[in-house]
Amino acid sequence: MKNKFQLPVHDDKATIGRKSVAVDYENPLGGTVSGRKSNRCVILPPNVPMVADSIERRNKNWIAQANSAIDLIIQVGDSNFHLHKLAMVSRSEYLNRLIFQKKINRESAVDILNIQIDNLPGGKKTFELIVKFCYGWKIDITSANIAPLYCAAHFLEMSENLEEGNLISKTETFLSFLILSSWKDTFRVLKSTESISSWAKELQIVKRCSEAIAWKACANQNASSFNSEYVECLNVKTSKMNNSEDRFDAWWFKDLSLLRIDHFIEVITCIKRRGIKSKIVGSCIAHWATKWFSQVTLGFDKVTPKHMTLQLRRVSTECLIRILPTEEHSVTCNFLLHLLKIGAMLKINPELLCVLEMRVASILEKCHIQDLLVKNQGENDPLYDVAVVLRVLQCFVCGMSSNPVAERRNVGKLVDGYLIHVARDANLTMESFRSLVEVLPQNVRSCDDNLYRAIDMFLKAHPYLAEEDRTDVCRVLEYHRLSQEARQHVMNNDRLPLKLTTRFVLLEQVKMGRSMMSNGSSYRRTNTQTVIGISKDFERRQISGQEIKMMRKDVELMKTQILELNTCKIKLQKQLKRCIC
């Protein structure tokens, strides 16, 4: 029988031996041009030594009907294949060698040999195709079964040494065609290798698919502009793309997000090796994480497969951290915080957590409040996870001495704005809020007005806090670090602890007294200078009695005010002592 091999077709009823076949090539950078079905191939082996009249399936048994009796039973999984030795050994060196050893070692004179094959790539479904191939029946090869069939052909050693046009060469030809011509089929092939991972890696299928994807992605990076806002925040849904070029990038990310972690890492490694923009790589990694870590990081869409175990999540997180591009602005601060949150929950390698903390701390000065918002989903949990931000701020403080003053001030403004944003949350605990308030030293802020505003909003959202808890939260407020407007607000704020308002009133009175005393001394010095001037030039000047009376009246009024101020001071001191007791 002649060797018959058809190129990819789309008609399920295609027959063997056509001279011309319609081939539907796919656009390497998108879906199929015509929109029809995926590529497939129909093959038939040449020079078949035995043709089966039929191959019947009875429950879990496959039985080949031919002009001779069955003399071989091969068990694959839970299925038994009743076959003929001649048909199978003519195509497989592995079966030839196995049957020969069985004949040498067999003790009984039974003509039927029983062979069990373990760990065959693709299992019984793939072996069904191999049986049909060996008996001369046509088999359909698609992007979904080509990888298992290719690996199984290598497992059974179906090479050209036995017969020209054997299964290895035929599957290799079609596999190369799919990988080189079709973007979608390349992904289908890669997905099909998940159940045969070790064989697929050994036979370079994963590497070839990854390199093909990387080549096609890099070939297009200059053809379309990249939307840098595609995955700006993981807890905010992606905005719609505005043009077809941006939609390509979204579609590309979507395809890569379907890959499992080891294949995704392989693809990203190939993409980075080809020099694609680091911002595109970082955003692609963020999109993959959004897809697969939804049940770990609160705020993601809930699409994580149930079979993704805790250990797999831990390994996946560590792998993602290791492949992150190191270039500035390649990944967003918000994504790094989500990764840090995942890592802390899964208890990954502490060194990797430290790497993330330092990376976020190094870009805090350029961050915005929205970058620090990492949502929680628990009903009784705070709206935002402040613990992950606290970790980064503690890391920033440790290396703060090497940062310029302007950078520290910018971080202080950022933290104050973040405090104002989260202080409204009624579920935010006093301990968490106080830790955030106290994490930065005073020298990062030129003024504490925004800090006071955040504290006031927190007390407003938590009206049932005990007096000592309110005092604990407010202990960072200092009179001299607030503006005059803020001081006045403090003295009239009923939400603040009484001890604080009393202290501020007392300090305000002392300040007023010192100011008045200073003004009085200046007046007396001026008055004395005037008297001396009058004595030296009495002849030239004459002071009326009315002016003298007005000066005496001003002095008496000043004495009265000072006496009232001292009295008020004594009363406030007594009131403060009673509060303390």
Side-chain angles (χ1 to χ4, degrees):
M1 187 179 290
K2 295 182 179 180
N3 181 12
K4 296 181 180 179
F5 177 92
Q6 284 189 267
L7 287 177
V9 298
H10 295 274
D11 183 5
D12 289 338
K13 297 181 179 179
T15 58
I16 302 301
R18 278 186 179 176
K19 293 182 179 179
S20 62
V21 179
V23 181
D24 185 16
Y25 291 98
E26 290 195 1
N27 176 9
L29 302 179
T32 60
V33 176
S34 65
R36 289 181 288 176
K37 296 179 182 179
S38 302
N39 292 319
R40 72 179 183 89
C41 176
V42 181
I43 65 173
L44 187 69
N47 305 322
V48 179
M50 177 177 291
V51 178
D53 298 329
S54 65
I55 301 177
E56 300 178 0
R57 182 177 181 179
R58 301 173 186 174
N59 296 325
K60 295 182 179 181
N61 295 316
W62 285 85
I63 302 174
Q65 302 291 344
N67 55 6
S68 60
I70 291 171
D71 55 4
L72 176 65
I73 298 177
I74 299 178
Q75 182 180 353
V76 180
D78 59 352
S79 296
N80 294 316
F81 293 83
H82 300 257
L83 309 171
H84 300 83
K85 287 182 288 187
L86 180 61
M88 302 307 295
V89 299
S90 64
R91 296 293 173 190
S92 170
E93 291 186 24
Y94 174 82
L95 291 177
N96 194 347
R97 187 169 57 254
L98 204 60
I99 291 173
F100 180 75
Q101 292 175 353
K102 281 278 187 180
K103 285 183 176 180
I104 294 177
N105 298 330
R106 108 180 138 176
E107 298 177 355
S108 62
V110 178
D111 293 332
I112 299 179
L113 290 177
N114 285 276
I115 296 176
Q116 182 174 348
I117 300 179
D118 298 321
N119 302 321
L120 178 73
K124 61 182 181 181
K125 289 185 178 181
T126 301
F127 193 69
E128 291 173 15
L129 297 176
I130 293 174
V131 169
K132 291 180 179 180
F133 177 82
C134 292
Y135 277 102
W137 286 52
K138 74 173 184 179
I139 61 174
D140 289 342
I141 307 177
T142 66
S143 56
N145 64 18
I146 181 63
L149 191 60
Y150 179 72
C151 294
H154 277 272
F155 180 91
L156 296 174
E157 302 174 27
M158 303 176 72
S159 65
E160 301 290 295
N161 295 335
L162 290 178
E163 180 69 41
E164 183 180 356
N166 209 347
L167 190 57
I168 289 179
S169 62
K170 289 183 178 293
T171 51
E172 168 64 32
T173 302
F174 186 57
L175 180 63
S176 299
F177 169 80
L178 287 180
I179 292 175
L180 292 176
S181 65
S182 170
W183 170 276
K184 286 292 184 182
D185 281 337
T186 303
F187 276 92
R188 294 189 185 102
V189 171
L190 194 53
K191 284 290 292 181
S192 69
T193 63
E194 292 181 356
S195 60
I196 53 171
S197 181
S198 59
W199 275 94
K201 289 181 180 179
E202 182 178 345
L203 297 175
Q204 304 292 307
I205 299 178
V206 173
K207 183 178 180 180
R208 290 166 65 183
C209 289
S210 301
E211 289 178 346
I213 293 171
W215 173 74
K216 293 166 188 174
C218 292
N220 191 61
Q221 76 164 323
N222 295 325
S224 65
S225 59
F226 177 69
N227 185 354
S228 61
E229 301 298 325
Y230 179 67
V231 268
E232 188 66 27
C233 293
L234 291 179
N235 59 331
V236 179
K237 287 189 176 181
T238 306
S239 60
K240 293 182 179 179
M241 298 300 176
N242 296 323
N243 53 59
S244 60
E245 294 173 346
D246 288 335
R247 282 196 296 272
F248 165 76
D249 289 327
W251 169 82
W252 171 40
F253 290 167
K254 183 179 179 181
D255 279 346
L256 260 66
S257 70
L258 299 176
L259 302 177
R260 74 181 191 186
I261 183 62
D262 55 340
H263 294 167
F264 179 74
I265 296 296
E266 185 74 26
V267 172
I268 290 296
T269 302
C270 292
I271 287 176
K272 291 172 68 176
R273 195 160 49 233
R274 285 190 170 270
I276 200 168
K277 296 177 182 178
S278 61
K279 197 166 188 177
I280 298 179
V281 176
S283 297
C284 184
I285 294 172
H287 187 76
W288 188 94
T290 306
K291 172 80 174 180
W292 289 91
F293 285 144
S294 57
Q295 292 182 352
V296 181
T297 301
L298 307 178
F300 289 170
D301 296 329
K302 295 182 178 180
V303 292
T304 303
K306 294 181 180 179
H307 67 272
M308 195 173 191
T309 63
L310 183 64
Q311 179 62 26
L312 182 56
R313 290 191 180 110
R314 184 179 294 116
V315 172
S316 300
T317 305
E318 293 179 349
C319 290
L320 288 181
I321 296 173
R322 290 189 176 99
I323 66 167
L324 283 176
T326 57
E327 291 80 3
E328 189 176 4
H329 304 304
S330 58
V331 287
T332 64
C333 173
N334 189 262
F335 173 63
L336 292 175
L337 286 174
H338 274 87
L339 267 188
L340 183 58
K341 176 184 174 72
I342 295 172
M345 292 175 62
L346 298 177
K347 299 179 181 179
I348 66 170
N349 190 329
E351 294 181 1
L352 291 177
L353 286 180
C354 185
V355 168
L356 282 181
E357 291 171 2
M358 290 189 294
R359 183 163 183 177
V360 179
S362 66
I363 61 175
L364 274 179
E365 188 258 341
K366 300 176 182 178
C367 290
H368 303 285
I369 296 173
Q370 292 295 326
D371 297 328
L372 303 183
L373 301 180
V374 179
K375 281 189 176 181
N376 289 322
Q377 280 186 335
E379 295 182 0
N380 298 323
D381 293 335
L383 180 60
Y384 299 105
D385 187 348
V386 299
V388 67
V389 177
L390 182 61
R391 291 177 67 118
V392 173
L393 292 176
Q394 289 170 342
C395 181
F396 173 80
V397 172
C398 292
M400 191 176 61
S401 58
S402 60
N403 298 330
V405 176
E407 182 176 334
R408 283 180 271 173
R409 291 289 169 83
N410 288 337
V411 173
K413 292 178 182 178
L414 174 68
V415 174
D416 287 347
Y418 178 75
L419 284 169
I420 292 172
H421 194 91
V422 301
R424 305 181 182 94
D425 186 7
N427 290 331
L428 182 62
T429 63
M430 189 268 293
E431 291 79 9
S432 297
F433 182 77
R434 187 187 63 191
S435 299
L436 280 174
V437 167
E438 297 177 351
V439 66
L440 293 181
Q442 285 188 344
N443 60 6
V444 302
R445 299 181 176 95
S446 58
C447 178
D448 285 353
D449 282 14
N450 287 332
L451 181 61
Y452 165 65
R453 182 185 172 194
I455 292 174
D456 184 43
M457 294 179 70
F458 179 80
L459 295 178
K460 186 177 181 180
H462 300 76
Y464 302 110
L465 278 181
E467 180 75 10
E468 56 185 45
D469 290 336
R470 286 186 289 158
T471 302
D472 203 18
V473 170
C474 298
R475 65 185 179 184
V476 297
L477 294 177
E478 297 291 343
Y479 176 86
H480 64 281
R481 295 183 58 81
L482 295 175
S483 65
Q484 184 60 37
E485 182 181 358
R487 294 169 188 166
Q488 292 296 328
H489 193 277
V490 169
M491 291 184 287
N492 297 293
N493 193 344
D494 295 336
R495 289 185 289 271
L496 298 177
L498 180 61
K499 184 185 296 185
L500 179 68
T501 55
T502 303
R503 179 161 59 89
F504 269 57
V505 170
L506 176 60
L507 293 173
E508 185 70 17
Q509 293 292 343
V510 170
K511 177 187 174 184
M512 290 177 57
R514 288 176 178 174
S515 177
M516 294 177 64
M517 291 288 290
S518 175
N519 292 335
S521 299
S522 298
Y523 178 82
R524 284 194 296 272
R525 286 196 298 271
T526 304
N527 190 26
T528 302
Q529 292 171 0
T530 302
V531 172
I532 294 173
I534 291 172
S535 300
K536 290 183 178 180
D537 199 14
F538 184 80
E539 295 83 5
R540 288 178 296 141
R541 296 193 61 181
Q542 186 176 0
I543 301 175
S544 66
Q546 185 66 25
E547 290 178 344
I548 295 174
K549 287 181 180 180
M550 290 181 63
M551 291 173 63
R552 287 177 178 175
K553 186 176 180 180
D554 289 340
V555 171
E556 292 298 329
L557 180 61
M558 187 175 297
K559 289 181 179 179
T560 303
Q561 289 177 345
I562 292 174
L563 182 61
E564 290 177 355
L565 182 60
N566 288 331
T567 303
C568 181
K569 177 181 178 181
I570 293 172
K571 289 181 179 180
L572 288 172
Q573 288 176 340
K574 291 181 179 179
Q575 186 178 2
L576 182 60
K577 289 181 180 179
R578 287 196 299 270
C579 290
I580 294 174
C581 296

